[in-house]
Amino acid sequence: MENSLGDFLRSRRSRIQPEEVGLPGHGRRRVPGLRREEVAQLAGVSVDYYVRLEQGRGGSASDAVLDAVARVLRLDDVEAAHLRSLARPPKPSAAASSARGRQQVRAGTRLLLDMMAGVPAFVLGRRMEVLAWNGLADAVHGYSSRPGGGDPNAARQVFLDPAAREFYVQWEAVAAETVAYLRRDAGLHPEDARLSALVGELSVRSEEFRRLWADHQVREKTHGVKLIRHPLVGELDFGYETLGVNGSPEQLLVAFTAPAGSPTAQKLALLASWTADGSPARVE
């Protein structure tokens, strides 16, 4: 049985060298990084309690204990929140239960996508499912012409689409970000069977996914850059912003941006001219 909490804690302590926290680093060590005894000492808890925490038998750990462990392991805010989710799994709610299937996009959100005609924009839901998109996002990503049909999923596209390594100029970075975002989702929804099935599918079919999943990185999707090699117009250098959709829990509106007059903006205008047929935002 998977012990996500223990695996996460071990992965985080393995990256910290004793010298970094004022401990002697000489002597032979069987594993890299800090020992469990050293984490317990620095966090001010008993070794027995910390061992039980790593084994998933720590009960309902207090905020003080989890904050102390997060400090010792130098977790950032996202990692610390992930630690709390693993140590104290959220209780399923009615809203969470309804989100176990494919989420629905409000009519008003779909209309907003349609009105953003000059901006590639889409709605990303749980499990990195692409729930809706506008014409320009379709022109960039090809959601409506994906091989094999089926619901579009950003994680499947990154790891299972043979064209993904050519499409994403920085594929390795995109792959790592994708897995880290899925890890966070898994911590928030440990009972999600659809997410478990997705992780299982990707683990079986992609060696790169298995390697990255075992690294236990966690990350939110906020903003950044995305370099795309489009089959028709060549390289596109985007920024992207993600905005929460109020009233629709765990849906993000993702918009790609390019400075006015830039080569990417000019290529977007060309793509927009090819899709200027009034097609509404596609929803699957």
Side-chain angles (χ1 to χ4, degrees):
M1 183 177 180
E2 184 183 38
N3 176 14
S4 297
L5 174 58
D7 292 341
F8 177 67
L9 288 171
R10 284 188 289 273
S11 73
R12 297 308 87 183
R13 63 181 170 87
S14 71
R15 65 182 181 175
I16 300 177
Q17 298 306 311
E19 298 88 344
E20 297 178 52
V21 292
L23 295 174
H26 58 272
R28 185 177 180 182
R29 287 178 174 258
R30 292 184 300 172
V31 295
L34 295 177
R35 300 186 178 103
R36 293 180 296 185
E37 296 82 0
E38 292 166 337
V39 175
Q41 173 190 342
L42 293 168
V45 299
S46 71
V47 174
D48 179 66
Y49 181 81
Y50 181 77
V51 169
R52 286 189 284 113
L53 185 65
E54 274 204 5
Q55 292 174 342
R57 301 186 296 111
S60 183
S62 68
D63 287 338
V65 167
L66 296 178
D67 288 346
V69 171
R71 172 181 51 78
V72 172
L73 298 181
R74 301 185 176 185
L75 305 186
D76 61 26
D77 290 344
V78 176
E79 291 172 323
H82 185 64
L83 172 61
R84 295 187 195 98
S85 295
L86 296 177
R88 298 192 300 236
K91 296 180 180 179
S93 63
S97 298
S98 65
R100 288 175 184 167
R102 190 167 178 82
Q103 295 166 285
Q104 300 300 310
V105 178
R106 291 199 315 265
T109 304
R110 297 197 301 268
L111 179 59
L112 177 61
L113 289 175
D114 289 344
M115 296 180 70
M116 298 171 65
V119 179
F122 57 92
V123 175
L124 191 69
R126 292 281 318 284
R127 315 168 200 95
M128 301 199 76
E129 294 170 347
V130 183
L131 304 176
W133 56 87
N134 63 12
L136 198 50
D138 197 13
V140 171
H141 290 279
Y143 292 129
S144 62
S145 59
R146 59 195 177 281
D151 296 334
N153 180 285
R156 282 195 184 94
Q157 189 265 333
V158 169
F159 287 98
L160 303 184
D161 186 344
R165 291 176 184 269
E166 177 69 16
F167 184 73
Y168 293 111
V169 176
Q170 298 174 319
W171 183 88
E172 291 81 4
V174 172
E177 292 168 2
T178 298
V179 174
Y181 185 73
L182 277 182
R183 262 290 178 194
R184 177 179 175 273
D185 197 4
L188 292 171
H189 304 280
E191 304 301 323
D192 187 336
R194 285 168 59 94
L195 177 56
S196 296
L198 173 64
V199 171
E201 176 192 359
L202 295 175
S203 297
V204 168
R205 299 179 63 184
S206 171
E207 180 180 353
E208 292 90 346
F209 181 87
R210 289 196 303 274
R211 176 180 58 80
L212 290 167
W213 188 255
D215 199 32
H216 288 267
Q217 298 292 333
V218 290
R219 187 175 301 180
E220 289 182 319
K221 190 171 185 63
T222 54
H223 59 86
V225 297
K226 196 80 72 179
L227 304 180
I228 288 174
R229 188 177 292 109
H230 193 276
L232 297 179
V233 296
E235 291 198 4
L236 298 167
D237 185 354
F238 288 117
Y240 71 85
E241 299 288 335
T242 59
L243 309 172
V245 181
N246 289 339
S248 298
E250 300 180 278
Q251 290 185 16
L252 297 173
L253 192 152
V254 183
F256 282 16
T257 61
S262 66
T264 295
Q266 294 171 10
K267 293 174 183 178
L268 273 182
L270 180 60
L271 284 175
S273 70
W274 293 341
T275 59
D277 58 358
S279 297
R282 289 292 305 274
V283 179
E284 296 291 313

